[in-house]
Amino acid sequence: MSPTARAWVELLRGPAALTVPGDIIAGAVTAGGAPPRRIAMAAGASVCLYWSGMALNDWADRELDAVERPERPLPSGRIPPRAAFGAAAALTAAGLGLAAACGRTAATTATAVAATAWAYNLGLKNTPAGPAAMATARSLNVLLGAATSGDTPPTALRRSALAAAHTFTLTTVSRHEVGGAPRAVPLAAAAATTTIAAALLLPRRREREARSASGSGLTTAASARKRALPRNASRRKAGSPSRALRLGGGTPPSDGLPAVAARALSRAWPESAPGGGRSAVAAHRRGAAVASARRSTCPEGTLRDAPGAVSPVGAPARSLRVTWPEAICAVAYAATALPPLVRAVREPTGGRMRQGVVGGLNAMLPLQAALVARAGGGLAAPALLATLLAAKRLSRKVTPT
């Protein structure tokens, strides 16, 4: 690598850029998926905006770096300040252009990312609002990935909050890379990292979505069940609950049950038939029997256990499991971010704090992998974990901070 090329890699924090596309993937998977071409363009836009922020950061800090970090490209004279500022502007324009190709929502979100990054570098960095600004930019980057699907579901907002919490912690630690910090700073960062890792292991409600056979969209098990109902059942008016629901029981016996079980229940409870009795007690007994029959007659893997299954009273089914991919990614996140912070707690010098920042940057990858795994992202999660190995190797050659 030529000296000029190496200077630009140092300016743009080349290894750290590997932690950016994972935000897009996590957001897109959480929102239900998007065409690969659109995800690739959004990832390119995100990398361009990240690089523009790095160039602008060094341009804004060039006088401070001349004292604290004279080895950086600008104070060392390897890259002129004007070139760094021009690169920041050009990369911002390129990022916004790529995002615009992904749709109006993505363009709006990318504009918010760029505006937050420029505001941070040109004014907010050394204020109490600095960490919050960086956390906002990272959260918006995850939402940029969700925008590639054309929608931003509440789940994406919750997942982006975890990325924001990690970035807030990382930015707080990065403020002490040169002069060191009080022991309370890395201790608080370690506690926050532990909390985020624990949040990744919390049981969650399964998404009420399943990919269609063509893979081009999403459908809920409830809608599939509605399409499978007899025609006369699908004509029930919206807002007109079934007799069983009106009386506090379960769903009607024929709803979601095999015909044999439905006929048996009708004979056992004649009041469920047209013209039958409507006592609340009978309806309650019928609802309990319907639930029992559904459990005994529906085999594993059918509607009862589908991701979008509903209970007899219409409440979404819940899963209290944490899958192995989720657990592995959460452990990898903690194993990457915590050890350098623990060392910084023992010895809170500038060097130790910088190691904590490097560990936190690399930990973005297993964090993104965990978010992808929680959304059922398939092979994307192990791919992000594999990228972690490359990021660690490159960070030994070119510092990502």
Side-chain angles (χ1 to χ4, degrees), residues 12 20 27 51 65 96 105 116 136 219 228 246 257 270 272 291 293 298 308-309 326 331 348 356 359 380 385 392-393:
L12 301 178
V20 178
W51 279 344
D65 287 343
L96 294 179
T105 304
T116 305
T136 300
T219 180
R246 285 200 305 267
L257 287 175
S272 64
C298 294
E326 295 172 32
V331 171
L385 286 181
K392 286 184 174 181
R393 179 174 298 179

Side-chain angles (χ1 to χ4, degrees), residues 24-398:
I24 304 301
I25 296 173
V29 172
T30 300
R37 179 175 176 272
R38 188 177 298 176
I39 295 177
M41 287 192 298
S46 180
V47 170
C48 287
L49 294 177
Y50 185 85
W51 279 344
S52 72
M54 294 297 101
L56 187 63
N57 174 80
D58 279 19
W59 179 85
D61 287 350
R62 62 191 183 279
E63 296 180 359
L64 180 63
D65 287 343
V67 177
E68 296 183 348
R69 295 189 177 184
E71 74 281 359
R72 279 187 166 178
L74 266 63
S76 65
R78 291 178 291 162
I79 295 178
R82 182 180 299 178
F85 186 85
L91 286 167
T92 299
L96 294 179
L98 286 171
C102 297
R104 181 177 300 178
T105 304
T108 302
T109 308
T111 302
V113 174
T116 305
W118 279 72
Y120 170 81
N121 286 307
L122 298 182
L124 298 177
K125 180 187 301 183
N126 297 318
T127 69
M134 283 299 293
T136 300
R138 180 65 78 164
S139 176
L140 288 170
N141 204 43
V142 177
L143 296 180
L144 174 59
T148 59
S149 69
D151 191 16
T152 305
T155 306
L157 295 173
R158 293 193 295 270
R159 304 271 165 81
S160 69
L162 290 175
H166 176 77
T167 304
F168 185 95
T169 303
L170 181 62
T171 307
T172 302
V173 173
S174 70
R175 292 185 161 196
H176 305 277
E177 288 184 79
V178 177
R183 199 178 303 273
V185 173
L187 185 61
T193 301
T194 303
T195 302
I196 295 171
L200 294 174
L201 292 172
L202 287 177
R204 58 182 170 79
R205 184 171 62 191
R206 292 289 183 188
E207 305 295 332
R208 296 186 61 186
E209 298 170 339
R211 295 194 179 277
S212 63
S214 63
S216 59
L218 298 175
T219 180
T220 62
S223 63
R225 174 176 155 186
K226 180 179 179 180
R227 289 194 299 269
L229 288 176
R231 181 172 300 179
N232 59 350
S234 64
R235 293 178 181 174
R236 184 180 298 152
K237 292 183 179 180
S240 176
S242 66
R243 179 184 299 122
L245 291 178
R246 285 200 305 267
L247 297 177
T251 54
S254 61
D255 186 12
L257 287 175
V260 175
R263 287 195 297 270
L265 287 171
S266 298
R267 289 193 295 269
W269 280 277
E271 63 274 10
S272 64
R278 294 190 177 185
S279 69
V281 174
H284 178 75
R285 292 171 59 197
R286 184 173 67 254
V290 168
S292 176
R294 181 175 287 121
R295 286 192 298 270
S296 62
T297 56
C298 294
E300 294 294 326
T302 57
L303 282 178
R304 179 173 64 86
D305 296 297
V310 293
S311 69
V313 293
R318 293 179 178 271
S319 172
L320 299 180
R321 296 181 302 160
V322 175
T323 64
W324 278 109
E326 295 172 32
I328 292 172
C329 293
V331 171
Y333 166 73
T336 305
L338 277 178
L341 290 175
V342 172
R343 289 192 291 268
V345 170
R346 296 173 181 170
E347 186 183 357
T349 61
R352 292 296 191 189
M353 298 299 287
R354 187 177 302 182
Q355 291 176 7
V357 174
V358 174
L361 284 171
N362 290 334
M364 281 300 308
L365 286 163
L367 173 60
Q368 294 158 351
L371 298 179
V372 169
R374 289 177 73 83
L379 296 178
L384 288 171
L385 286 181
T387 306
L388 173 62
L389 301 177
K392 286 184 174 181
R393 179 174 298 179
L394 288 175
S395 64
R396 298 189 187 102
K397 299 180 179 180
V398 179

